Amino acid sequence: SQQGEEDPQALSIQEGENATMNCSYKTSINNLQWYRQNSGRGLVHLILIRSNEREKHSGRLRVTLDTSKKSSSLLITASRAADTASYFCATGAGSYQLTFGKGTKLSVIP
Amino acid sequence: DSGVTQTPKHLITATGQRVTLRCSPRSGDLSVYWYQQSLDQGLQFLIQYYNGEERAKGNILERFSAQQFPDLHSELNLSSLELGDSALYFCASSGTSGSEVLFFGPGTRLTVL
């Protein structure tokens, strides 16, 4: 069963705009991670935020975590055509494996 | 390049057949995870091995089995294949058994005809 649910399922923006994706989950977590997948390729880790953190930055990425609402958001600023990919949130709890959502498909139009 | 290798890249086979997918984790990683990605089910966790031992089991069918060898490479065996088993199968590795960062291989695309 899926733990994380990304929203929206698909997002289309112009190059240079910001892209925001949301993730909601159901149970307590130790950390939440975001991964990117280019079409048909392996997933690539982007950023990890722990349950005691509220915000984290990495380059053009900004992730927030609200454990009271069991939700997270990923913001990509000044998007580029190369950012076109599917983005997945994944939740981790203790020694259990990561559980992935179904992803948001981002299209950045040049 | 994540450092995780998977073979083969593509596999086309018929219903009822048996196939073996192979994965080599990143150097030094003890944990290997297998995931199945299909259009309708998303990314589903199948099974995890840690240093040769099964650590966690997810939505893995009884027709599927896996093992991790002493050199830490892993194999996923899929038998009595059905059309619905067509999917991308990913292997991932990590340095710990806990839910930290996973490094994914490029995947094996399985097509069952």
Side-chain angles (χ1 to χ4, degrees):
Chain A
S1 63
Q2 305 290 357
Q3 160 77 306
E5 296 263 344
E6 291 91 344
D7 170 62
Q9 289 187 342
L11 180 61
S12 185
I13 60 173
Q14 296 288 332
E15 205 165 28
E17 294 180 338
N18 295 342
T20 299
M21 288 158 265
N22 302 297
C23 169
S24 59
Y25 58 92
K26 295 173 185 166
T27 62
S28 296
I29 60 171
N30 281 0
N31 67 73
L32 186 143
Q33 303 179 37
W34 286 89
Y35 287 77
R36 184 179 90 177
Q37 183 183 32
N38 288 81
S39 182
R41 313 278 291 271
L43 280 75
V44 175
H45 173 77
L46 295 175
I47 196 165
L48 179 153
I49 186 165
R50 300 197 182 277
S51 59
N52 61 353
E53 297 175 309
R54 291 297 168 258
E55 189 170 312
K56 205 158 183 183
H57 296 254
S58 177
R60 293 184 296 113
L61 306 181
R62 172 179 167 250
V63 168
T64 61
L65 179 64
D66 186 336
T67 53
S68 66
K69 294 181 180 176
K70 292 187 169 57
S71 68
S72 172
S73 68
L74 170 68
L75 168 68
I76 304 174
T77 60
S79 63
R80 305 165 183 167
D83 295 328
T84 294
S86 291
Y87 292 81
F88 295 84
C89 70
T91 51
S95 61
Y96 297 103
Q97 74 289 347
L98 288 180
T99 305
F100 287 81
K102 289 198 174 182
T104 292
K105 195 166 186 176
L106 173 66
S107 298
V108 181
I109 303 163
Chain B
D1 184 0
S2 66
V4 178
T5 60
Q6 287 187 250
T7 57
K9 280 188 176 177
H10 302 276
L11 202 47
I12 300 174
T13 187
T15 55
Q17 295 298 303
R18 182 180 193 274
V19 297
T20 297
L21 313 183
R22 184 189 166 105
C23 166
S24 292
R26 288 190 323 156
S27 177
D29 282 355
L30 299 179
S31 273
V32 168
Y33 306 75
W34 285 97
Y35 282 84
Q36 179 194 56
Q37 186 178 37
S38 58
L39 281 173
D40 54 344
Q41 293 293 321
L43 203 65
Q44 296 281 328
F45 168 72
L46 296 178
I47 197 163
Q48 178 205 355
Y49 281 84
Y50 178 79
N51 202 21
E53 293 192 5
E54 184 183 302
R55 184 57 64 97
K57 224 168 185 176
N59 302 319
I60 188 166
L61 300 172
E62 283 192 15
R63 301 183 285 109
F64 296 0
S65 65
Q67 53 184 324
Q68 186 180 28
F69 296 86
D71 67 353
L72 300 177
H73 91 270
S74 177
E75 292 181 357
L76 178 67
N77 300 296
L78 314 177
S79 62
S80 303
L81 285 168
E82 301 175 0
L83 295 177
D85 297 328
S86 295
L88 264 170
Y89 290 85
F90 288 106
C91 167
S93 75
S94 74
T96 66
S97 177
S99 52
E100 295 290 324
V101 175
L102 297 188
F103 295 87
F104 280 80
T108 293
R109 182 173 291 280
L110 174 67
T111 303
V112 182
L113 301 175

